[in-house]
Amino acid sequence: MKPRSLFAEHALLPTGWARDVLLSWNDQGLITGVKAQATCPEGVTRATGPVVPGMPNLHSHAFQRAFGGLTEYRGAAQDSFWSWRSLMYGFAAAITPEQLEAIATGLYVEMLEAGYTSVCEFHYVHHDPEGRPYADDANLSMCLLRAAARAGMGLTLLPVLYQTSGFGGTPPSVGQRRFIRSTDNMLALLQKLKPLCEAQGARLGLAPHSLRAVPPDSLREALAGLHALDVTAPVHIHIAEQTAEVDACLAWSGQRPVQWLLEHAPVDARWCLVHATHMSAEESTRAARTGAVAGLCPSTEANLGDGIFDAPTWLQANGRWGVGSDSHACVNAAEELMLLEYSQRLATRQRNVLASAAQPSVATSMTLQAVAGGAQASARPVAGLAVGQQADMVVLDAQHPLLRDLPTPEAMLSAHVFASHRQSALQQVWVAGRVQVQSGHHVLHDAALSGLVAARRQLLENTP
Ligand code: NGQ
Ligand code: ZN
């Protein structure tokens, strides 16, 4: 029989740490009971360490996992986000459906082993290498749906609208031909994908790629079409990641990207502003007040030389945020939290910047904020250990040398985020009340990772 409950001596609830918590859930994996100061009923499993909520990963381009480590050399006098992007386009141009599915399956297994229990897939490679739609226009989306189902990963699928290569409607480049869809064609794809997503508990949304890639009329029509299909569907957009993009937006419209977006689009709590690195204090405050989530991807933002998100200004306006692994230069939920906090320490010359008066332990504070923001951006019930949410849980290894005998569960979570090798201190990962990772290993670990390696080998043979 499948378990329906777990007893935790320490559990991190949305309100903070609680003792002797009996967690129970139903057949669908939704939490039906969270009872603190409980006694462990006979027959119920005791968690072997503190239980924390599973982390939603709010931004992923799965195929990019295949070239991790392969763009870390200087190709021109000066390398940049834009030179990286040309290399990335080479891989995007060559990937096959089979390779995408294998890479995504391997990646999702890695994510589960690293504390992520769901992912928002910002999916823009739609067509064949010549830019022609596949016989089944949803072919590559289906690869991602199957990969998530096989790995046992929660999914929010965000098909990407991509139409232009720059502000003002400049035509797409050859390297972008696999990404391009008309607005009507995108809406037809969404219609088709909606029941397929629902059948596996995945959520469907839309990602206008960026203001560079989607002209104003298309943005308006696509949003209207999406919300006619599902009024609460999530909307994710890359915004203000690079200063060159800010300058180009200013030249085009006289406004900065976030400023333009706030004035021309109905930004609200359904939205996730991915990166949002370069905002003025005024933009930041206004954007935070819409209820939108800032989608922060600390390892990729560092890897690509984007700049540093101004967290203090965002938090001052009660801004919501979550983390994503984006290009997957790093695949580890705790590590993204650590890098985010460290970027703030380097920028402000202070410590524990993302802690608060209410929650002084920075690892605890960040975990709760990132789970809440990630769940909102995912538009799935993955907002932590509370009734009505999915039983997505991570059990820390209380016997890990860095955690053993520490006085409090906060200290153990802090040691996991700041002092351990991060992956090594994870004992179990549960998704919707089912164990997916045991003693740090997913059942599909070997098969899924060999699949990823084989697909990468093929892909590299076919990439110039
Ligand atoms: C992407 N990645 O869509 O994969 C982008 C690069 C672009 C990041 N922004 C392409 N990190 O922004 O044009
Ligand atoms: Zn991205």
Side-chain angles (χ1 to χ4, degrees):
M1 235 187 64
K2 284 189 272 170
R4 290 277 176 280
S5 49
L6 181 71
F7 184 82
E9 202 183 323
H10 299 285
L12 181 55
L13 311 184
T15 46
W17 287 98
R19 274 210 76 119
D20 297 329
V21 181
L22 180 62
L23 295 153
S24 27
W25 52 88
N26 64 16
D27 275 355
Q28 285 75 50
L30 294 174
I31 297 177
T32 51
V34 181
K35 192 162 171 261
Q37 270 95 48
T39 43
C40 183
E42 216 173 301
V44 170
T45 306
R46 280 174 176 271
T48 55
V51 177
V52 301
M55 184 63 71
N57 185 336
L58 57 60
H59 194 65
S60 164
H61 309 288
F63 77 94
Q64 295 181 12
R65 182 59 170 159
F67 57 90
L70 294 174
T71 59
E72 309 301 324
Y73 59 91
R74 194 189 286 179
Q78 197 188 54
D79 260 313
S80 68
F81 174 92
W82 307 101
S83 53
W84 167 84
R85 191 175 79 158
S86 321
L87 295 175
M88 183 271 278
Y89 279 180
F91 296 99
I95 198 162
T96 68
E98 295 72 24
Q99 288 162 6
L100 176 65
E101 187 167 337
I103 291 161
T105 305
L107 171 67
Y108 297 160
V109 164
E110 291 186 285
M111 282 187 191
L112 285 160
E113 292 179 345
Y116 291 116
T117 43
S118 59
V119 64
C120 299
E121 194 54 55
F122 198 108
H123 165 56
Y124 60 87
V125 182
H126 298 302
H127 305 312
D128 78 8
E130 264 70 64
R132 291 173 310 224
Y134 284 101
D136 174 1
D137 189 34
N139 192 2
L140 293 176
S141 294
M142 296 309 297
C143 293
L144 295 167
L145 278 160
R146 281 193 299 272
R150 181 143 176 256
M153 185 66 154
L155 178 68
T156 298
L157 182 63
L158 303 160
V160 172
L161 188 63
Y162 205 114
Q163 297 181 337
T164 57
S165 63
F167 292 100
T170 49
S173 66
V174 174
Q176 295 166 336
R177 62 186 170 186
R178 299 187 75 175
F179 318 160
I180 308 304
R181 287 180 183 275
S182 71
T183 308
D184 285 347
N185 173 253
M186 171 55 71
L187 294 175
L189 176 71
L190 296 179
Q191 287 270 6
K192 178 167 186 182
L193 286 171
K194 190 161 181 267
L196 300 168
C197 286
E198 281 165 3
Q200 76 175 62
R203 190 72 198 262
L204 182 68
L206 175 70
H209 180 276
S210 52
L211 296 179
R212 291 177 266 127
V214 182
D217 286 349
S218 299
L219 181 63
R220 194 167 21 79
E221 285 158 26
L223 291 172
L226 171 74
H227 288 137
L229 197 63
D230 174 357
V231 74
T232 59
V235 179
H236 290 218
I237 187 167
H238 290 132
I239 198 97
E241 181 179 12
Q242 283 281 319
T243 51
E245 163 176 45
V246 175
D247 296 342
C249 189
L250 275 165
W252 166 65
S253 68
Q255 293 183 309
R256 302 166 56 83
V258 171
Q259 189 186 10
W260 189 94
L261 189 72
L262 293 173
E263 278 169 32
H264 294 87
V267 178
D268 62 18
R270 294 172 295 189
W271 286 63
C272 180
L273 308 179
V274 181
H275 308 304
T277 312
H278 298 288
M279 293 191 284
S280 66
E282 195 205 332
E283 283 178 297
S284 178
T285 302
R286 282 181 59 203
R289 289 192 181 140
T290 64
V293 174
L296 308 178
C297 306
S299 63
T300 293
E301 290 161 14
N303 186 280
L304 298 181
D306 288 344
I308 300 177
F309 179 75
D310 175 4
T313 303
W314 186 252
L315 294 180
Q316 199 150 34
N318 294 317
R320 303 167 193 183
W321 60 273
V323 290
S325 58
D326 191 345
S327 68
H328 316 298
C330 157
V331 181
N332 192 302
E335 211 147 326
E336 296 298 343
L337 299 182
M338 182 188 76
L339 287 170
L340 174 59
E341 170 64 21
Y342 281 177
S343 69
Q344 302 306 307
R345 293 186 190 189
L346 289 165
T348 64
R349 287 172 278 153
Q350 295 177 15
R351 298 187 74 249
N352 298 313
V353 180
L354 282 125
S356 66
Q359 195 49 263
S361 163
V362 73
T364 293
S365 168
M366 292 182 88
T367 300
L368 289 175
Q369 293 182 67
V371 168
Q376 182 181 316
S378 309
R380 298 180 67 248
V382 292
L385 307 180
V387 170
Q389 303 301 312
Q390 248 182 225
D392 288 5
M393 314 179 281
V394 170
V395 180
L396 300 182
D397 177 9
Q399 293 311 313
H400 186 281
L402 265 298
L403 276 62
R404 191 164 58 216
D405 295 343
L406 291 183
T408 61
E410 276 111 323
M412 291 193 191
L413 181 58
S414 300
H416 165 56
V417 173
F418 292 101
S420 77
H421 294 217
R422 283 161 285 281
Q423 191 129 338
S424 62
L426 297 186
Q427 198 353 285
Q428 272 185 336
V429 180
W430 300 65
V431 180
R434 293 177 61 168
V435 176
Q436 296 292 356
V437 173
Q438 178 67 47
S439 305
H441 268 256
H442 190 287
V443 266
L444 287 183
H445 179 97
D446 292 345
L449 273 295
S450 337
L452 184 153
V453 170
R456 182 177 60 186
R457 191 185 319 114
Q458 281 180 11
L459 179 59
L460 292 179
E461 279 164 12
N462 293 312
T463 306

